[in-house]
Amino acid sequence: MFSLIMYGWYNDNKWEPTLANSLVDALHEMGHLKSLQVIESNNGPPLLCKRLFEELSADALLPGLTSLELVWAESRQPDEELLSALSLRADGRLSSVVLGIRNGGNLGPDVLECMRSLRKSNVQAVCW
């Protein structure tokens, strides 16, 4: 098992946007990973970014990924790019997906529809 813990830093009271990009860059170095879990902190930097989802869609990142768990800070919602990436990887590569929002936040209807579609493709898709 491998764990990666990332900390951000402040610059004029704003999180540096490079932290999310650093996560993606680190994941490129770990292309062999089969399982990925990213849980954002409610008071930390956003880690789940458009670049991450675009690269998952293009198979440029973690081509052997079978299990994915993503949890957003309670003030955020999943991006459309993530839903596209999940749909593309529902071709038998993904076996389980867990999506959620911290503190029991509600997922939008488009995310719930994506989860239903994943289940029809035999992906174990559950809400966090």
Side-chain angles (χ1 to χ4, degrees), residues 48-107:
L48 300 170
C49 64
K50 184 176 179 177
R51 178 180 168 214
L52 172 66
F53 305 136
E54 287 173 345
E55 293 194 28
L56 283 172
S57 290
D59 261 353
L61 187 65
L62 306 176
L65 189 68
T66 60
S67 176
L68 183 62
E69 181 175 348
L70 303 175
V71 179
W72 282 259
E74 64 185 329
S75 62
R76 300 186 60 221
Q77 279 283 326
D79 300 277
E80 181 62 37
E81 291 82 12
L82 167 67
L83 305 182
S84 295
L86 292 176
S87 297
L88 290 170
R89 288 193 177 223
D91 60 0
R93 291 176 284 175
L94 276 177
S95 59
S96 72
V97 173
V98 177
L99 299 179
I101 298 177
R102 291 192 64 112
N103 299 333
N106 293 324
L107 293 168

Side-chain angles (χ1 to χ4, degrees), residues 9-67:
W9 53 91
Y10 278 103
N11 180 8
D12 296 329
N13 295 322
K14 294 183 180 179
W15 287 101
E16 289 289 333
T18 57
L19 190 60
N21 284 324
S22 295
L23 172 63
V24 176
D25 293 340
L27 291 173
H28 272 290
E29 299 300 319
M30 297 177 271
H32 62 282
L33 287 181
K34 303 284 184 208
S35 179
L36 176 64
Q37 178 187 54
V38 180
I39 300 174
E40 289 186 335
S41 169
N42 279 334
N43 55 2
L47 294 174
L48 300 170
C49 64
K50 184 176 179 177
R51 178 180 168 214
L52 172 66
F53 305 136
E54 287 173 345
E55 293 194 28
L56 283 172
S57 290
D59 261 353
L61 187 65
L62 306 176
L65 189 68
T66 60
S67 176

